[in-house]
Every structure is written in C-alpha cells, then in structure tokens.
Amino acid sequence: MEVKRVSFRTIAEEFFSKWIGFDNQFGRTVLDMTIRPGIVVNAYLSGNRTRYIGPLGYVVIMTALLIISFDLFGLEVGDFLKQNSDTFNPAGNQAISEDQAKMQQSVMEFMAKNFRFMAAIMIPFFAISLGWFYRREKLNYIERAVVTTYLSCHGMWITMAMLGILALSGHLFNVTGMILSIVYYAFALHKCFPRRNFMLGFVKTVGVYVSAILLFTLFALIVGIGIGILIAIFNPEMIQS
C-alpha cells in the first residue's frame, strides 16, 4: 500500500475533514443547530449523546472560538465590552463620579480577563425564564439549561459575525446582533417546541430574553449591595473616601 507523503495539502484536508467537516460531531452540531436545532436539542434530551456534541462541550468550543475571533480580527475584549456598554448608555461616564468611573473600569477589566466565563453567564438566567414561558413542556431546570446552553452557544456565531463587521467598519451594531439573536431564539424554540402560532412563540421568546436580563440585573444588584455592605463593615475608609 502506497503511503502519501505529508504535505500542507494533506494536513489541511485532514484538519477540515476531521474537525471542520460536516461528517463529525462538531460539523453536524453546527449545521443542525443552524437549520434544525430541535433535532439536536431533543436528541440530547432523549438520550442520544453520540451524534452531536454535548452542551458543555459546545460551550468550551464556542467560547474558545469566540476568544480566538478577537485575536483574528485584532480586537480587544475590553474595548468590545466598553462599546457594547456605551451603546445602551450614550451618556457614558459623564453622569457618574470619578470613583464610580474607576469602579466601572475595574468591572470592565475583570469581565475582560474572565470573558471565557462571562460569555456563558446568562445561561442560568435564561433557563429560569424559559421555565416561566414554556411551562407546558414540563422540563426540569437541568433540561432547560441544556436547551439554553445550545441556543446561547450557537448564538455566539452571531457575535463573531458582529466582531467581523466591527473590525471592518469600526462600528458595533450590537442592537442588530441582539435582534438577530432574538429571531434565532424564536426560530430555535419553535423547532424545539413546535407550535402552530409562530408569532406567539416570538412574543414568548422576547419575554424569555427580557426576563432573563431583568433577573441578571437583579442578581448583579444584590451582589453589588452585598459587596458594598462588606466593604462598609471591613473597610469603611474606602466608603468615606
């Protein structure tokens, strides 16, 4: 049997066939999560764990690809987070004090350093709100977390596309990205839990999105108040300054 000599072409063919090709777990997961996400989600929930990548594996791979995309497009995570924040706060730091601005900068730096974890931080809140709007499915919390993990991770492709547009145009169209994410969520949830009325499903998806953001905001507020109380108890000089 003749053995082919190793060349760049053979290495490239092996890489694309084994890792990027649509005949493997990753390729099948990406393809089916795009055009028929209900099959992927329901396959995992029904016990088929071999055809597609599991939700935790998809988190790891997609988060890694998202971080790599920043380097690929020559972008900094911190700058992306700042532009994303400024979009929903046009006044910027003008309405806050110097100390508050420093605290905000510290939070941004922390989020940038831990972005691989922050990218999936909304998943638990989506799982909670999904239970409110899709009670008829009778899924437990872990099952809802599986659904939202798959959908949230696949939505990172939209984020990566927005990063590419940011690199080319210098503008972050994150409102457009959010709308696309909501539309994909509505499509995916419709495929996971088929209903005759797609518009009702779309309204439910908006409800899931809004309630998840409100839950996260409430959680962050409670954590912030708790940290403030601890600082006031153990380091009151910082509060006075």
Side-chain angles (χ1 to χ4, degrees):
M1 179 179 179
E2 181 181 358
V3 178
K4 292 184 179 180
R5 297 186 62 180
V6 176
S7 64
F8 177 79
R9 180 176 179 179
T10 57
I11 293 175
E13 288 177 349
E14 180 182 9
F15 175 79
F16 281 100
S17 64
K18 289 188 176 182
W19 296 99
I20 306 300
F22 292 110
D23 58 343
N24 60 68
Q25 277 191 329
F26 178 69
R28 284 195 299 269
T29 303
V30 172
L31 179 63
D32 287 350
M33 280 300 299
T34 302
I35 60 178
R36 44 186 183 182
I39 292 180
V40 180
V41 173
N42 291 321
Y44 188 86
L45 293 179
S46 64
N48 186 347
R49 310 291 162 76
T50 58
R51 182 169 177 77
Y52 301 105
I53 294 176
L56 293 181
Y58 206 36
V59 168
V60 173
I61 294 175
M62 293 306 301
T63 303
L65 288 177
L66 182 59
I67 294 174
I68 290 173
S69 66
F70 279 96
D71 291 331
L72 181 64
F73 295 122
L75 300 171
E76 294 291 337
V77 176
D79 294 338
F80 168 75
L81 293 174
K82 186 177 185 305
Q83 288 195 44
N84 192 65
S85 176
D86 290 345
T87 300
F88 300 100
N89 182 24
N93 294 336
Q94 296 176 0
I96 63 178
S97 66
E98 182 179 350
D99 289 339
Q100 289 174 323
K102 290 180 180 179
M103 178 64 72
Q104 188 180 73
Q105 180 64 28
S106 299
V107 172
M108 287 291 181
E109 291 176 356
F110 174 82
M111 293 176 65
K113 291 179 181 178
N114 299 275
F115 188 71
R116 65 183 62 204
F117 306 108
M118 302 299 296
I121 197 172
M122 289 296 297
I123 290 175
F125 302 98
F126 274 116
I128 294 173
S129 59
L130 186 68
W132 294 343
F133 290 89
Y134 285 85
R135 292 190 297 270
R136 290 176 55 185
E137 309 306 328
K138 297 181 180 179
L139 300 177
N140 61 37
Y141 178 78
I142 299 300
E143 290 170 330
R144 298 196 304 271
V146 167
V147 176
T148 55
T149 298
Y150 270 121
L151 270 56
S152 297
C153 290
H154 200 68
M156 291 182 188
W157 289 109
I158 297 175
T159 303
M160 286 186 275
M162 293 298 105
L163 290 177
I165 295 174
L166 172 62
L168 292 174
S169 66
H171 297 285
L172 179 61
F173 299 96
N174 53 357
V175 175
T176 302
M178 180 178 292
I179 293 173
L180 290 174
S181 296
I182 292 176
V183 171
Y184 172 73
Y185 255 80
F187 164 75
L189 289 175
H190 181 70
K191 293 296 183 181
C192 293
F193 316 120
R195 292 287 185 272
R196 291 183 180 181
N197 193 333
F198 177 79
M199 288 306 301
L200 177 61
F202 183 82
V203 172
K204 284 187 175 184
T205 301
V206 174
V208 171
Y209 239 85
V210 173
S211 60
I213 292 173
L214 291 176
L215 277 175
F216 173 74
T217 303
L218 178 62
F219 172 78
L221 181 62
I222 293 174
V223 171
I225 292 174
I227 293 174
I229 292 174
L230 291 176
I231 292 175
I233 294 174
F234 296 103
N235 192 6
E237 293 81 6
M238 183 176 179
I239 300 296
Q240 294 173 0
S241 61

